[in-house]
Amino acid sequence: FTKIVTAGGYDVFGIGIFDVKFDGSQTNEAIDFRYERRFDTSLLEIGPENYNFFHLNPFVGFETTSDSASYFVTGVYLEDNIGTLFTGESSNSIFTPSLGVGIYDDGNGKQLGNTIEFRTALEISYILKNKNRIGLSFSHISNANIGDKNPGVEVISLSYQVAYWSNLNFRRYWNEAKIELWLFWVSEQTKYIVNIDIKINIYLVND
């Protein structure tokens, strides 16, 4: 088939550094592992339908560290093509800010002062030829001062993002494929019938 197909959403697999401090004041630096499922279903659409930056999409995720800290998070994200944003021409670079809230367990890692923690993140990713992405993100996790203390933590993460198909997209392209297969079958049957008719006419003429 000749149609260009786009992904419905992404499974994000990341590895990074937990408790990053650029001034060297980190106290519980650890390796951060994360997974996110980013859905393509819009919860809220503001502005033009063809401009994804105004579409709030949901995500769910899980993070764990080499110090056995864990964080279950859910929230919303936006996406915008960096080329479109700055030059008006589409590029392979994507800007993805997100906001989430989740449950944090410090394990043997950094104590963040509360079970409920909020996460803000900024990410830049690059779309590969297979529609998957490579991304670099910077995120901040804190409790917004609802806990006894609020030290907060920063995380830098490198991710590989695997495109998947939403059920809606899958059904649409599957229906289109069935139509094309049916048209191909009809075309082949027509050729077969015409071929038989030609052979019969030739036989009658020769006879």
Side-chain angles (χ1 to χ4, degrees), residues 125-170:
S125 60
Y126 183 83
I127 304 175
L128 304 174
K129 289 183 178 180
N130 61 2
K131 302 302 179 182
N132 295 343
R133 301 177 181 176
I134 295 176
L136 181 66
S137 65
F138 178 81
S139 58
H140 172 75
I141 302 174
S142 67
N143 60 48
N145 293 320
I146 63 175
D148 297 332
K149 59 179 182 177
N150 185 28
V153 67
E154 284 70 43
V155 183
I156 289 180
S157 183
L158 180 66
S159 63
Y160 187 75
Q161 306 172 14
V162 181
Y164 72 90
W165 307 112
S166 67
N167 290 333
L168 180 61
N169 282 342
F170 178 79

Side-chain angles (χ1 to χ4, degrees), residues 37-39 43 56-61 72-77 98-102 119:
R37 164 58 69 97
R38 295 179 184 171
F39 303 95
L43 299 177
L56 282 176
N57 300 324
F59 76 89
V60 294
F72 293 89
V73 61
T74 185
V76 293
Y77 72 95
S98 64
L99 174 64
V101 60
R119 191 188 79 182

Side-chain angles (χ1 to χ4, degrees), residues 49-88:
E49 292 184 3
N50 60 345
Y51 200 58
N52 290 335
F53 191 70
F54 294 101
H55 296 185
L56 282 176
N57 300 324
F59 76 89
V60 294
F62 172 73
E63 289 187 48
T64 186
T65 74
S66 55
D67 287 335
S68 300
S70 60
Y71 183 48
F72 293 89
V73 61
T74 185
V76 293
Y77 72 95
L78 303 170
E79 284 199 341
D80 198 12
N81 188 287
I82 293 178
T84 303
L85 181 64
F86 289 103
T87 67

Side-chain angles (χ1 to χ4, degrees), residues 186-204:
V186 171
S187 174
E188 290 299 309
Q189 294 303 311
T190 301
K191 291 178 182 178
Y192 178 72
I193 293 172
V194 170
N195 188 41
I196 291 178
D197 184 62
I198 291 173
K199 289 183 177 179
I200 292 176
N201 289 332
I202 293 174
Y203 175 79
L204 293 175

